[in-house]
Amino acid sequence: MNSQKRTIVKTLLWRFLASGATVVIVFALSGNIVLGLSAAAIGIPLKLLMYYFYEREWDKIAWETA
């Protein structure tokens, strides 16, 4: 089981990496860095919450061992 603190740190680090990828992809497609930064900024709060709750619920699943 992951601790809540570990989940929060993991969530924040993942969001940093994923938001960086969003900036690069949107910039590559549009040539507009402001649009890339805006797209990342809009997604950060929503995706942080989604990932946090996803991760916490995922840890509740009991996997059978063979």
Side-chain angles (χ1 to χ4, degrees), residues 4-61:
Q4 186 175 12
K5 182 179 177 180
R6 183 179 185 277
T7 300
I8 291 170
V9 170
K10 185 177 176 184
T11 299
L12 292 171
L13 290 174
W14 171 250
R15 191 70 255 140
F16 174 77
L17 291 171
S19 294
T22 297
V23 172
V24 170
I25 291 166
V26 173
F27 175 68
L29 293 173
S30 70
N32 186 337
I33 192 67
V34 174
L35 184 61
L37 292 168
S38 297
I42 290 168
I44 288 172
L46 176 63
K47 291 176 182 177
L48 275 172
L49 290 173
M50 289 172 57
Y51 184 85
Y52 174 81
F53 288 112
Y54 171 81
E55 184 70 17
R56 296 305 291 171
E57 291 304 312
W58 186 258
D59 283 345
K60 294 179 184 176
I61 297 171

